[in-house]
mmCIF file of all heavy atoms in Angstrom:
data_model
loop_
_atom_site.group_PDB
_atom_site.id
_atom_site.type_symbol
_atom_site.label_atom_id
_atom_site.label_comp_id
_atom_site.label_asym_id
_atom_site.label_seq_id
_atom_site.Cartn_x
_atom_site.Cartn_y
_atom_site.Cartn_z
ATOM 1 N N VAL A 160 21.756 -30.686 6.275
ATOM 2 C CA VAL A 160 23.080 -31.285 6.424
ATOM 3 C C VAL A 160 24.113 -30.539 5.525
ATOM 4 O O VAL A 160 25.209 -30.179 5.859
ATOM 5 C CB VAL A 160 23.162 -32.788 6.205
ATOM 6 C CG1 VAL A 160 24.537 -33.379 6.078
ATOM 7 C CG2 VAL A 160 22.364 -33.508 7.284
ATOM 8 N N ARG A 161 23.699 -30.346 4.196
ATOM 9 C CA ARG A 161 24.553 -29.712 3.234
ATOM 10 C C ARG A 161 24.746 -28.222 3.589
ATOM 11 O O ARG A 161 25.865 -27.699 3.382
ATOM 12 C CB ARG A 161 23.905 -29.814 1.864
ATOM 13 C CG ARG A 161 23.905 -31.250 1.321
ATOM 14 C CD ARG A 161 23.270 -31.321 -0.069
ATOM 15 N NE ARG A 161 23.824 -30.406 -1.022
ATOM 16 C CZ ARG A 161 23.300 -29.850 -2.030
ATOM 17 N NH1 ARG A 161 22.009 -30.146 -2.251
ATOM 18 N NH2 ARG A 161 23.870 -29.096 -2.841
ATOM 19 N N ILE A 162 23.761 -27.549 4.195
ATOM 20 C CA ILE A 162 23.957 -26.186 4.647
ATOM 21 C C ILE A 162 24.973 -26.109 5.713
ATOM 22 O O ILE A 162 25.916 -25.274 5.762
ATOM 23 C CB ILE A 162 22.613 -25.533 5.054
ATOM 24 C CG1 ILE A 162 21.746 -25.305 3.817
ATOM 25 C CG2 ILE A 162 22.816 -24.242 5.813
ATOM 26 C CD1 ILE A 162 20.265 -24.941 4.199
ATOM 27 N N GLN A 163 24.817 -26.997 6.714
ATOM 28 C CA GLN A 163 25.775 -27.010 7.876
ATOM 29 C C GLN A 163 27.223 -27.340 7.396
ATOM 30 O O GLN A 163 28.193 -26.818 7.978
ATOM 31 C CB GLN A 163 25.316 -28.022 8.894
ATOM 32 C CG GLN A 163 24.085 -27.532 9.617
ATOM 33 C CD GLN A 163 23.508 -28.584 10.640
ATOM 34 O OE1 GLN A 163 23.816 -29.760 10.515
ATOM 35 N NE2 GLN A 163 22.702 -28.143 11.534
ATOM 36 N N ALA A 164 27.302 -28.176 6.357
ATOM 37 C CA ALA A 164 28.606 -28.513 5.818
ATOM 38 C C ALA A 164 29.242 -27.480 4.932
ATOM 39 O O ALA A 164 30.371 -27.539 4.517
ATOM 40 C CB ALA A 164 28.545 -29.901 5.076
ATOM 41 N N GLY A 165 28.412 -26.470 4.547
ATOM 42 C CA GLY A 165 28.906 -25.459 3.687
ATOM 43 C C GLY A 165 28.767 -25.745 2.162
ATOM 44 O O GLY A 165 29.314 -24.985 1.306
ATOM 45 N N ASP A 166 28.063 -26.852 1.818
ATOM 46 C CA ASP A 166 27.951 -27.289 0.421
ATOM 47 C C ASP A 166 26.718 -26.605 -0.216
ATOM 48 O O ASP A 166 26.548 -26.744 -1.440
ATOM 49 C CB ASP A 166 27.761 -28.789 0.370
ATOM 50 C CG ASP A 166 28.998 -29.553 0.802
ATOM 51 O OD1 ASP A 166 30.097 -28.965 0.754
ATOM 52 O OD2 ASP A 166 28.835 -30.718 1.235
ATOM 53 N N LEU A 167 25.837 -25.982 0.571
ATOM 54 C CA LEU A 167 24.605 -25.375 0.036
ATOM 55 C C LEU A 167 24.417 -24.072 0.858
ATOM 56 O O LEU A 167 24.444 -24.110 2.051
ATOM 57 C CB LEU A 167 23.464 -26.335 0.251
ATOM 58 C CG LEU A 167 22.053 -25.870 -0.199
ATOM 59 C CD1 LEU A 167 21.966 -25.880 -1.708
ATOM 60 C CD2 LEU A 167 20.991 -26.907 0.288
ATOM 61 N N PRO A 168 24.134 -22.972 0.074
ATOM 62 C CA PRO A 168 23.869 -21.695 0.847
ATOM 63 C C PRO A 168 22.526 -21.828 1.535
ATOM 64 O O PRO A 168 21.631 -22.528 1.061
ATOM 65 C CB PRO A 168 23.911 -20.671 -0.228
ATOM 66 C CG PRO A 168 23.569 -21.362 -1.505
ATOM 67 C CD PRO A 168 24.122 -22.796 -1.350
ATOM 68 N N ASN A 169 22.387 -21.087 2.637
ATOM 69 C CA ASN A 169 21.098 -21.057 3.323
ATOM 70 C C ASN A 169 20.263 -20.033 2.615
ATOM 71 O O ASN A 169 20.724 -19.134 1.995
ATOM 72 C CB ASN A 169 21.304 -20.676 4.778
ATOM 73 C CG ASN A 169 20.130 -21.135 5.611
ATOM 74 O OD1 ASN A 169 19.109 -21.586 5.117
ATOM 75 N ND2 ASN A 169 20.263 -21.010 6.949
ATOM 76 N N LEU A 170 18.908 -20.130 2.755
ATOM 77 C CA LEU A 170 17.945 -19.112 2.311
ATOM 78 C C LEU A 170 18.200 -17.909 3.035
ATOM 79 O O LEU A 170 18.492 -17.896 4.263
ATOM 80 C CB LEU A 170 16.519 -19.619 2.425
ATOM 81 C CG LEU A 170 16.094 -20.757 1.570
ATOM 82 C CD1 LEU A 170 14.674 -21.221 2.005
ATOM 83 C CD2 LEU A 170 16.063 -20.354 0.117
ATOM 84 N N LYS A 171 18.047 -16.714 2.426
ATOM 85 C CA LYS A 171 18.184 -15.469 3.090
ATOM 86 C C LYS A 171 16.755 -14.901 3.242
ATOM 87 O O LYS A 171 16.418 -13.942 2.589
ATOM 88 C CB LYS A 171 19.007 -14.544 2.320
ATOM 89 C CG LYS A 171 20.471 -15.010 2.191
ATOM 90 C CD LYS A 171 21.312 -14.047 1.354
ATOM 91 C CE LYS A 171 22.741 -14.475 1.204
ATOM 92 N NZ LYS A 171 23.424 -13.608 0.243
ATOM 93 N N LEU A 172 15.992 -15.557 4.111
ATOM 94 C CA LEU A 172 14.590 -15.077 4.345
ATOM 95 C C LEU A 172 14.512 -14.263 5.527
ATOM 96 O O LEU A 172 15.270 -14.521 6.501
ATOM 97 C CB LEU A 172 13.670 -16.307 4.409
ATOM 98 C CG LEU A 172 13.636 -17.211 3.251
ATOM 99 C CD1 LEU A 172 12.705 -18.349 3.511
ATOM 100 C CD2 LEU A 172 13.210 -16.436 2.012
ATOM 101 N N PRO A 173 13.608 -13.321 5.672
ATOM 102 C CA PRO A 173 13.407 -12.515 6.893
ATOM 103 C C PRO A 173 12.984 -13.507 7.950
ATOM 104 O O PRO A 173 12.294 -14.509 7.747
ATOM 105 C CB PRO A 173 12.304 -11.516 6.555
ATOM 106 C CG PRO A 173 11.732 -11.990 5.248
ATOM 107 C CD PRO A 173 12.638 -12.929 4.577
ATOM 108 N N ALA A 174 13.372 -13.154 9.194
ATOM 109 C CA ALA A 174 12.956 -13.975 10.340
ATOM 110 C C ALA A 174 11.446 -13.901 10.524
ATOM 111 O O ALA A 174 10.847 -12.850 10.304
ATOM 112 C CB ALA A 174 13.686 -13.445 11.637
ATOM 113 N N TYR A 175 10.900 -14.983 10.950
ATOM 114 C CA TYR A 175 9.463 -15.041 11.144
ATOM 115 C C TYR A 175 9.140 -14.343 12.478
ATOM 116 O O TYR A 175 9.722 -14.646 13.497
ATOM 117 C CB TYR A 175 8.972 -16.473 11.176
ATOM 118 C CG TYR A 175 7.452 -16.592 11.449
ATOM 119 C CD1 TYR A 175 6.581 -16.299 10.416
ATOM 120 C CD2 TYR A 175 6.981 -16.958 12.692
ATOM 121 C CE1 TYR A 175 5.259 -16.344 10.655
ATOM 122 C CE2 TYR A 175 5.609 -17.019 12.896
ATOM 123 C CZ TYR A 175 4.732 -16.742 11.853
ATOM 124 O OH TYR A 175 3.431 -16.838 12.094
ATOM 125 N N ARG A 176 8.230 -13.415 12.421
ATOM 126 C CA ARG A 176 7.816 -12.692 13.630
ATOM 127 C C ARG A 176 6.280 -12.910 13.785
ATOM 128 O O ARG A 176 5.571 -12.831 12.820
ATOM 129 C CB ARG A 176 8.130 -11.238 13.560
ATOM 130 C CG ARG A 176 9.606 -10.924 13.567
ATOM 131 C CD ARG A 176 9.813 -9.451 13.742
ATOM 132 N NE ARG A 176 11.233 -9.215 13.862
ATOM 133 C CZ ARG A 176 12.105 -9.044 12.906
ATOM 134 N NH1 ARG A 176 11.697 -9.143 11.669
ATOM 135 N NH2 ARG A 176 13.372 -8.786 13.158
ATOM 136 N N ARG A 177 5.928 -13.291 14.960
ATOM 137 C CA ARG A 177 4.530 -13.473 15.207
ATOM 138 C C ARG A 177 3.782 -12.161 15.171
ATOM 139 O O ARG A 177 4.363 -11.107 15.517
ATOM 140 C CB ARG A 177 4.319 -14.112 16.549
ATOM 141 C CG ARG A 177 4.821 -15.558 16.532
ATOM 142 C CD ARG A 177 4.734 -16.247 17.865
ATOM 143 N NE ARG A 177 3.437 -16.008 18.517
ATOM 144 C CZ ARG A 177 3.090 -16.516 19.647
ATOM 145 N NH1 ARG A 177 3.893 -17.260 20.279
ATOM 146 N NH2 ARG A 177 1.930 -16.160 20.184
ATOM 147 N N THR A 178 2.543 -12.214 14.735
ATOM 148 C CA THR A 178 1.772 -10.960 14.718
ATOM 149 C C THR A 178 1.453 -10.625 16.176
ATOM 150 O O THR A 178 1.340 -11.545 17.018
ATOM 151 C CB THR A 178 0.437 -11.214 13.927
ATOM 152 O OG1 THR A 178 -0.254 -12.307 14.501
ATOM 153 C CG2 THR A 178 0.745 -11.437 12.495
ATOM 154 N N PRO A 179 1.266 -9.411 16.441
ATOM 155 C CA PRO A 179 0.892 -9.004 17.877
ATOM 156 C C PRO A 179 -0.385 -9.601 18.269
ATOM 157 O O PRO A 179 -1.288 -9.779 17.490
ATOM 158 C CB PRO A 179 0.919 -7.478 17.866
ATOM 159 C CG PRO A 179 0.864 -7.072 16.435
ATOM 160 C CD PRO A 179 1.361 -8.217 15.617
ATOM 161 N N PRO A 180 -0.509 -9.898 19.555
ATOM 162 C CA PRO A 180 -1.817 -10.417 20.042
ATOM 163 C C PRO A 180 -2.950 -9.378 19.933
ATOM 164 O O PRO A 180 -2.663 -8.212 19.968
ATOM 165 C CB PRO A 180 -1.556 -10.805 21.495
ATOM 166 C CG PRO A 180 -0.361 -9.960 21.932
ATOM 167 C CD PRO A 180 0.476 -9.739 20.661
ATOM 168 N N THR A 181 -4.074 -9.888 19.688
ATOM 169 C CA THR A 181 -5.230 -8.932 19.578
ATOM 170 C C THR A 181 -5.646 -8.548 21.023
ATOM 171 O O THR A 181 -5.504 -9.314 21.899
ATOM 172 C CB THR A 181 -6.413 -9.628 18.867
ATOM 173 O OG1 THR A 181 -6.710 -10.849 19.510
ATOM 174 C CG2 THR A 181 -6.127 -9.950 17.424
ATOM 175 N N PRO A 182 -6.153 -7.374 21.148
ATOM 176 C CA PRO A 182 -6.594 -6.904 22.415
ATOM 177 C C PRO A 182 -7.758 -7.779 22.917
ATOM 178 O O PRO A 182 -8.514 -8.262 22.132
ATOM 179 C CB PRO A 182 -6.991 -5.476 22.227
ATOM 180 C CG PRO A 182 -6.881 -5.166 20.818
ATOM 181 C CD PRO A 182 -6.359 -6.384 20.114
ATOM 182 N N THR A 183 -7.842 -7.967 24.240
ATOM 183 C CA THR A 183 -8.912 -8.706 24.776
ATOM 184 C C THR A 183 -10.116 -7.877 24.938
ATOM 185 O O THR A 183 -10.059 -6.630 25.009
ATOM 186 C CB THR A 183 -8.516 -9.352 26.105
ATOM 187 O OG1 THR A 183 -8.111 -8.277 26.994
ATOM 188 C CG2 THR A 183 -7.422 -10.337 25.951
ATOM 189 N N GLY A 184 -11.254 -8.476 25.038
ATOM 190 C CA GLY A 184 -12.520 -7.719 25.162
ATOM 191 C C GLY A 184 -13.130 -7.386 23.874
ATOM 192 O O GLY A 184 -12.603 -7.707 22.797
ATOM 193 N N ARG A 185 -14.165 -6.708 23.920
ATOM 194 C CA ARG A 185 -14.900 -6.295 22.682
ATOM 195 C C ARG A 185 -14.271 -5.032 22.070
ATOM 196 O O ARG A 185 -13.762 -4.145 22.818
ATOM 197 C CB ARG A 185 -16.346 -6.021 22.991
ATOM 198 C CG ARG A 185 -17.066 -7.238 23.480
ATOM 199 C CD ARG A 185 -18.469 -6.942 23.771
ATOM 200 N NE ARG A 185 -19.067 -6.427 22.523
ATOM 201 C CZ ARG A 185 -20.302 -6.686 22.163
ATOM 202 N NH1 ARG A 185 -21.102 -7.320 22.963
ATOM 203 N NH2 ARG A 185 -20.807 -6.242 21.027
ATOM 204 N N PRO A 186 -14.182 -4.959 20.780
ATOM 205 C CA PRO A 186 -13.653 -3.732 20.142
ATOM 206 C C PRO A 186 -14.590 -2.564 20.433
ATOM 207 O O PRO A 186 -15.796 -2.710 20.513
ATOM 208 C CB PRO A 186 -13.647 -4.059 18.644
ATOM 209 C CG PRO A 186 -14.601 -5.187 18.455
ATOM 210 C CD PRO A 186 -14.672 -5.921 19.818
ATOM 211 N N LYS A 187 -14.010 -1.365 20.527
ATOM 212 C CA LYS A 187 -14.768 -0.119 20.742
ATOM 213 C C LYS A 187 -15.165 0.401 19.417
ATOM 214 O O LYS A 187 -14.368 1.164 18.748
ATOM 215 C CB LYS A 187 -13.919 0.807 21.571
ATOM 216 C CG LYS A 187 -13.719 0.261 22.979
ATOM 217 C CD LYS A 187 -12.857 1.175 23.763
ATOM 218 C CE LYS A 187 -12.555 0.586 25.068
ATOM 219 N NZ LYS A 187 -11.579 1.291 25.818
#
């Protein structure tokens, strides 16, 4: 609420990105 009102700065964190999916099947 305070961030939206401008009373508190937001964290400047990198956006969360999901790790790429692992390939299906057995590894070679």
Side-chain angles (χ1 to χ4, degrees):
V160 168
R161 291 178 56 209
I162 289 168
Q163 289 175 342
D166 295 335
L167 179 69
N169 202 351
L170 290 172
K171 295 178 183 175
L172 300 180
Y175 179 75
R176 292 192 174 85
R177 291 177 43 176
T178 56
T181 56
T183 57
R185 297 181 59 146
K187 297 177 183 172

